[in-house]
Amino acid sequence: MNNRSLSPFGFIMNYLDIRTVSLSRSIHVDPSLISKWKTGKRVFSSRSPHFDQVISYILKESEKSGHQLLKNALLELCPHETADETQDGSLEGLLRRVFTPGAVISDIPDQNQILSGSQNNANLISALIYEGGNGRREALDKLLQYAESMTTPGEILLLDSEEYSWLLEDSDFADRFIERIFILLSRGFHAKFVIYYSSVRSRFTQLFRICSPLIFHRNVEWFYYEYYDEYTLNFSFFILNHAVSLFGLSASGEEMSTMIVTDNAVVIYHELLADYVIRRCRAVFTSFQLSDFKNMIQDLWRFQRTGAFYSFLPSPAFLSSRKTLLNDILTDNQIAPAEIRQQLNLNDYFRKTTSCHFLKDDTLREPFVLIFQLEEMLRRVKSEPFISGSLTILNGKPIRVSRSQIAREIRDIAGELLKYENFQIVFVSEKDNIRLPSINCWCKQDLWIIQMDREGFRFSDEVSMVNSAAAALENCIRRVPPERRERRNVYRFLMGLADELDPSIPE
């Protein structure tokens, strides 16, 4: 969104790519007036003598996309409404309502409408105010109710400069809050968490521990801002789409208050303020291109330190297979020899950075734990064709792996399990209710975490986040019953699976 668009009018103008000059010529006004409407310096409403002309012009421009762009814009501003749900049942009716400022929120939400609007006074903006940590939690509860009743997934922003104290001080609420966010993410919602780091980091370790299911979710973006001076006044924003904003204030961490606002112009203005903060924050995770993957792996290998290592995988990652197997897979998929050599070189660094770095001799070394997602693994390895996610990303096309090649990889893993005391394999089941998404994840305690999925790779070396992720994986292991993590049981299961996939005697 253009940073000058501080009003619903400006938002829709930008969404439909309507030029200021074009509209000004059509309704015969100075372009400066249009600019003021866009920025909110002048209120555009039904009181304007040009109101009907502007509505007609927008609807005419909207016809170019079959009204789809306008419908999408209105859906973001009013997530609970569609053109068919307005009083007169028209797209124009909802457009007129959006340009009528002023909103009042009902104190007690009902089934049909969590936050209700009123347009009695175009110059009045009303808001509910909640006091203290309990009030903040009640306001967040209303925000989540609003999101849960939306039929189309939206975006949630949580920017808190008060160290999320309102969440940490009530563990029952925190559990419910994270569970509800996780369910919304599974429906396609996106979330941004913005954290202000103080000089005392223990609170954030606690926060990440509570939020551990969200650390791994690709629909969540994490940002942090470091400041070590004690602020007299702290502020926070919790925003859903362009429709609802919770604005929080506290004096030196005390006297906390939270206001709920649904006036679109104010919500968009809050979004711009929040965006200003985010642009000055650091992203906890960095997404990177495939071309950067090799250099990153080489750097990680050079700067190894002690610490437990965890792999969390939905199925074997053939990127880290033995060279002979990887060469056979790439050759069968008709990958060019020069490209195969590059990937074998990358495989060498990756194995040194992950399993081979920890398994290179019989000496007891740091724990290396391979966690498989049982049901997902069985579904993938028994489906035909099996497509390797890691190799598909590397090659830019689907890479097929035969059942016999899958069996070879499983037998290799099983052999390493018996050979190395520091190597452990654990099968996590859906019945364990772990709440971790189906991703490829490698986590080196105290150092870094790498995630891989269909969207590519992302990396973090933010220590609090990394160690909280490691703690979440360790907690995941503790919840698995012995029959799915005891060495001999796991070995027998792997060899049985390999024999089922390929009964022939391995070379």
Side-chain angles (χ1 to χ4, degrees), residues 164-444:
Y164 288 83
S165 59
W166 53 272
L167 183 65
L168 300 179
E169 64 189 18
D170 188 329
S171 58
D172 290 338
F173 177 86
D175 289 341
R176 293 193 304 272
F177 179 82
I178 299 305
E179 178 67 25
R180 293 168 75 180
I181 292 287
F182 195 81
I183 292 172
L184 288 172
L185 295 174
S186 67
R187 287 177 48 193
F189 277 74
H190 285 75
K192 292 181 180 179
F193 280 78
V194 185
I195 302 163
Y196 275 56
Y197 277 152
S198 67
S199 56
V200 180
R201 304 292 280 270
S202 58
R203 177 168 291 184
F204 300 104
T205 300
Q206 182 185 0
L207 173 65
F208 288 139
R209 188 178 298 115
I210 291 173
C211 297
S212 59
L214 308 181
I215 292 175
F216 303 91
H217 210 296
R218 281 300 292 261
N219 285 4
V220 179
E221 295 181 76
W222 292 87
F223 300 89
Y224 68 96
Y225 183 86
E226 295 195 71
Y227 75 105
Y228 300 109
D229 297 327
E230 185 176 352
Y231 278 48
T232 301
L233 185 67
N234 294 299
F235 70 94
S236 301
F237 289 112
F238 310 93
I239 302 173
L240 174 63
N241 274 33
H242 312 289
V244 186
S245 174
L246 275 58
F247 177 50
L249 286 172
S250 72
S252 299
E254 301 177 355
E255 305 298 330
M256 182 184 296
S257 66
T258 309
M259 294 169 279
I260 301 183
V261 180
T262 57
D263 182 272
N264 294 126
V266 179
V267 174
I268 292 175
Y269 180 68
H270 286 179
E271 285 183 324
L272 294 174
L273 292 177
D275 181 66
Y276 177 87
V277 174
I278 290 175
R279 282 187 280 112
R280 283 152 181 79
C281 291
R282 297 181 183 181
V284 173
F285 283 96
T286 302
S287 297
F288 54 90
Q289 301 297 321
L290 180 61
S291 57
D292 299 323
F293 184 60
K294 179 179 178 181
N295 292 334
M296 190 197 73
I297 291 297
Q298 289 175 332
D299 290 340
L300 294 181
W301 175 65
R302 292 190 186 104
F303 299 103
Q304 287 292 341
R305 292 205 304 267
T306 59
F309 189 93
Y310 303 91
S311 288
F312 183 74
L313 305 173
S315 63
F318 288 89
L319 170 64
S320 59
S321 299
R322 293 180 184 272
K323 279 189 174 182
T324 53
L325 174 57
L326 179 58
N327 182 75
D328 291 346
I329 293 171
L330 295 176
T331 300
D332 290 349
N333 282 269
Q334 300 180 330
I335 303 300
E339 189 64 31
I340 290 178
R341 286 193 296 271
Q342 290 183 7
Q343 294 188 40
L344 291 177
N345 186 39
L346 175 61
N347 167 269
D348 185 54
Y349 280 108
F350 193 73
R351 284 176 65 84
K352 287 178 180 178
T353 303
T354 57
S355 61
C356 283
H357 178 78
F358 300 97
L359 306 174
K360 63 184 181 181
D361 56 40
D362 294 324
T363 305
L364 183 62
R365 303 177 65 83
E366 296 82 19
F368 175 64
V369 186
L370 177 54
I371 308 170
F372 281 121
Q373 300 153 34
L374 179 60
E375 289 83 3
E376 183 66 14
M377 176 180 173
L378 293 176
R379 185 189 67 79
R380 293 192 185 191
V381 301
K382 293 182 180 182
S383 64
E384 293 193 45
F386 176 89
I387 304 297
S388 169
S390 58
L391 297 183
T392 294
I393 291 175
L394 284 175
N395 290 277
K397 72 171 189 177
I399 300 297
R400 298 189 176 196
V401 183
S402 69
R403 291 173 74 93
S404 63
Q405 289 167 338
I406 297 172
R408 284 171 61 186
E409 173 69 5
I410 291 175
R411 290 183 177 116
D412 284 345
I413 294 173
E416 291 179 334
L417 178 64
L418 289 187
K419 184 176 181 180
Y420 301 106
E421 288 296 323
N422 66 314
F423 186 32
Q424 181 182 10
I425 297 177
V426 176
F427 290 106
V428 174
S429 171
E430 295 171 354
K431 296 179 289 188
D432 299 328
N433 192 28
I434 300 298
R435 292 194 305 169
L436 295 180
S438 179
I439 56 167
N440 289 32
C441 173
W442 298 271
C443 179
K444 182 64 161 58

Side-chain angles (χ1 to χ4, degrees), residues 93-111:
L94 182 54
L95 180 62
R96 288 176 177 272
R97 289 181 58 187
V98 164
F99 291 149
T100 305
V104 178
I105 307 164
S106 60
D107 193 24
I108 303 177
D110 58 36
Q111 262 186 335

Side-chain angles (χ1 to χ4, degrees), residues 49-184:
H50 308 287
F51 188 75
D52 290 334
Q53 290 176 280
V54 171
I55 295 294
S56 297
Y57 185 87
I58 292 175
L59 291 172
K60 182 178 179 181
E61 289 294 306
S62 176
E63 291 175 355
K64 296 178 181 178
S65 65
H67 295 301
Q68 192 58 53
L69 288 177
L70 181 57
K71 288 179 180 178
N72 291 343
L74 293 174
L75 182 61
E76 289 198 39
L77 292 169
C78 305
H80 279 168
E81 300 188 67
T82 67
D84 295 329
E85 293 171 345
T86 59
Q87 292 180 351
D88 57 9
S90 69
L91 186 67
E92 179 181 344
L94 182 54
L95 180 62
R96 288 176 177 272
R97 289 181 58 187
V98 164
F99 291 149
T100 305
V104 178
I105 307 164
S106 60
D107 193 24
I108 303 177
D110 58 36
Q111 262 186 335
N112 299 319
Q113 193 171 38
I114 306 301
L115 304 173
S116 61
S118 170
Q119 299 131 14
N120 295 328
N121 189 331
N123 296 317
L124 174 66
I125 298 175
S126 299
L128 292 180
I129 300 178
Y130 299 83
E131 300 294 341
N134 286 334
R136 175 70 56 84
R137 290 188 287 275
E138 184 179 352
L140 262 296
D141 178 69
K142 290 181 181 292
L143 184 75
L144 292 183
Q145 287 183 54
Y146 191 102
E148 288 160 349
S149 60
M150 289 169 55
T151 57
T152 302
E155 187 167 274
I156 303 173
L157 167 67
L158 298 107
L159 187 160
D160 190 274
S161 63
E162 301 170 56
E163 302 181 337
Y164 288 83
S165 59
W166 53 272
L167 183 65
L168 300 179
E169 64 189 18
D170 188 329
S171 58
D172 290 338
F173 177 86
D175 289 341
R176 293 193 304 272
F177 179 82
I178 299 305
E179 178 67 25
R180 293 168 75 180
I181 292 287
F182 195 81
I183 292 172
L184 288 172

Side-chain angles (χ1 to χ4, degrees), residues 300 309 353 442-444 446-450 459-461 466:
L300 294 181
F309 189 93
T353 303
W442 298 271
C443 179
K444 182 64 161 58
D446 298 323
L447 284 179
W448 46 261
I449 181 173
I450 299 175
F459 168 83
S460 177
D461 59 359
V466 170

